Amino acid sequence: MAEVSNKQVLLRDYVSGFPKESDLYVTSSTLKLKLLQGSKGVLVKNLYLSCDPYMRNRMQKFLNPASYADSFNLHSPISGYGVAKVIESGDPKFKEGDLVWGITGWEQYSIINATQAQTLFKIHDTDVPLSYYTGILGMPGMTAYVGFYELCSPKKGEYVFISAASGAVGQLVGQFAKLLGCYVVGSAGSKEKVDLLKTKFGFDEAFNYKEEPDLDAALKRYFPEGIDIYFENVGGKMLDAVLLNLRLHARIAVCGMISQYNLERPEGVHNLMHLILKQARMEGFVVTSYYHLYPKFLELVLPSIKQGKIVYVEDVAEGLESAPSALVGLFAGRNVGKQLVVVSRE
């Protein structure tokens, strides 16, 4: 029974305000590469780990029992979405050598318990980069698909606005909208990201929200006739400005509110009356409630990737040592595209 060194990323302190790299630390423990007899869990070697904004909420001590994800435990490995290779399985759905994606530990090797193993997806298509299963073919891809198609029921020719548009989810929503024949505008936080939206992802227009003193005026410039669909990733002042620019029967898919995650006191929203005036619909969603649609999602996305109709940009950090910096960097907008960590390319 081999015993291996197992490098891990742990949470040192619960976070208030902006997370810092020092809130996390990297250490090593040892692990026997063998499941306990009778275990229905899965032992995996982790290959790629996904850095996602929702993880910020898990870095604080929760006061809200209604949250959809538990707080991380202090001085324990944090967890998140990742791609892994099965070493041993007590679950009949998986066997040694299978590739899977789902929730795993931020460590070299993880034992995924029987309950969590039920949420793993087996990877069948390997002629795309495996790292894509942390992004375009994993949770962020499903999030883009569900929010845009299932919640917003888009139609050709509609006017679509996406905030945080160069991120893991936004870059896909924009491309879905363009494939459908919509007019698409995205906002992002740097010139590099704005250029990426227009040249790489095919957005009609894009702007740097940091250079717009009046967001309402900016939206009126790009949407003189108003917005049909808003894919909401940031909240706060951007949401308030969008509400002033809705078209009749507009739809807003509320995916995230990254501008609010690090605030001690979240900002209020002042223009909700416009939902009534424009007979608009604003709906929040959690992607895990839609995972039954994953096969349908793959049917749409895999051919589009292989035909070059959809492209995906990743920001890759090498090694678990770089994981704290990569995760914290999300909240300062350091990443360009989908942020992930390579644990092993094997």
Side-chain angles (χ1 to χ4, degrees):
M1 188 187 300
E3 190 168 83
V4 294
S5 174
N6 190 25
K7 200 175 289 178
Q8 302 172 308
V9 179
L10 284 67
L11 182 65
R12 176 177 278 120
D13 296 301
Y14 286 120
V15 174
S16 63
F18 275 85
K20 308 178 295 297
E21 284 182 46
S22 58
D23 294 323
L24 300 157
Y25 63 103
V26 179
T27 188
S28 286
S29 64
T30 57
L31 177 73
K32 288 190 171 75
L33 283 186
K34 184 77 182 158
L35 291 173
L36 292 174
Q37 193 166 0
S39 168
K40 295 284 194 287
V42 182
L43 172 64
V44 300
K45 177 178 183 176
N46 292 311
L47 306 177
Y48 300 94
L49 298 174
S50 176
C51 298
D52 295 300
Y54 82 89
M55 296 172 73
R56 167 62 184 83
N57 294 332
R58 301 191 66 193
M59 296 170 77
Q60 64 197 33
K61 188 70 176 164
F62 272 131
L63 301 174
N64 180 2
S67 176
Y68 62 85
D70 296 331
S71 297
F72 294 134
N73 294 318
L74 292 181
H75 306 294
S76 294
I78 66 172
S79 59
Y81 283 93
V83 174
K85 187 173 187 175
V86 175
I87 296 173
E88 185 187 0
S89 178
D91 184 321
K93 292 197 303 295
F94 305 107
K95 65 181 188 302
E96 181 184 348
D98 281 349
L99 293 163
V100 295
W101 73 268
I103 297 289
T104 188
W106 275 41
E107 53 193 350
Q108 288 172 291
Y109 300 92
S110 293
I111 294 174
I112 299 170
N113 67 37
T115 304
Q116 202 69 61
Q118 299 305 307
T119 67
L120 292 175
F121 292 84
K122 189 186 289 192
I123 293 172
H124 297 286
D125 203 303
T126 55
D127 55 355
V128 292
L130 266 185
S131 58
Y132 277 18
Y133 289 92
T134 67
I136 185 172
L137 295 174
M139 180 274 287
M142 271 297 290
T143 301
Y145 173 82
V146 167
F148 185 62
Y149 288 107
E150 297 295 320
L151 268 68
C152 292
S153 305
K155 295 184 280 294
K156 182 177 180 179
E158 288 195 309
Y159 301 115
V160 177
F161 177 52
I162 303 150
S163 54
S166 69
V169 175
Q171 59 173 290
L172 280 174
V173 178
Q175 291 179 84
F176 288 156
K178 285 307 301 176
L179 285 174
L180 200 61
C182 298
Y183 168 77
V184 183
V185 178
S187 65
S190 73
K191 182 183 185 303
E192 179 187 10
K193 293 177 182 180
V194 167
D195 289 346
L196 198 64
L197 292 175
K198 293 196 281 192
T199 59
K200 183 92 174 175
F201 301 132
F203 283 53
D204 294 289
E205 292 289 350
F207 65 90
N208 182 349
Y209 68 89
K210 294 176 183 174
E211 294 179 352
E212 298 291 347
D214 184 340
L215 291 172
D216 175 35
L219 291 174
K220 283 183 166 53
R221 199 162 72 238
Y222 292 107
F223 295 98
E225 296 179 47
I227 296 166
D228 291 300
I229 291 173
Y230 174 43
F231 199 99
E232 165 66 302
N233 288 312
V234 302
K237 296 178 178 64
M238 186 66 83
L239 174 58
D240 243 355
V242 168
L243 289 166
L244 296 173
N245 288 279
L246 297 177
R247 284 163 67 88
L248 201 60
H249 304 301
R251 289 86 73 204
I252 299 174
V254 185
C255 168
M257 294 198 170
I258 198 169
S259 74
Q260 307 300 296
Y261 296 164
N262 300 305
L263 301 181
E264 299 273 337
R265 182 174 299 209
E267 295 169 323
V269 178
H270 306 281
N271 297 321
L272 288 170
M273 182 71 179
H274 288 260
L275 293 176
I276 302 169
L277 301 176
K278 297 297 184 179
Q279 302 173 57
R281 178 165 55 83
M282 184 160 81
E283 184 176 353
F285 70 103
V286 175
V287 69
T288 50
S289 300
Y290 295 85
Y291 275 166
H292 60 282
L293 297 176
Y294 188 62
K296 182 180 166 190
F297 160 75
L298 286 181
E299 282 176 22
L300 172 81
V301 176
L302 271 172
S304 297
I305 294 172
K306 291 173 183 178
Q307 293 161 18
K309 292 179 181 174
I310 290 180
V311 295
Y312 201 60
V313 170
E314 298 176 318
D315 194 324
V316 180
E318 292 284 344
L320 276 170
E321 299 83 356
S322 66
S325 169
L327 179 57
V328 169
L330 281 181
F331 305 102
R334 286 206 302 260
N335 59 302
V336 178
K338 167 66 197 165
Q339 183 68 66
L340 63 109
V341 177
V342 179
V343 183
S344 170
R345 293 184 185 275
E346 187 185 307

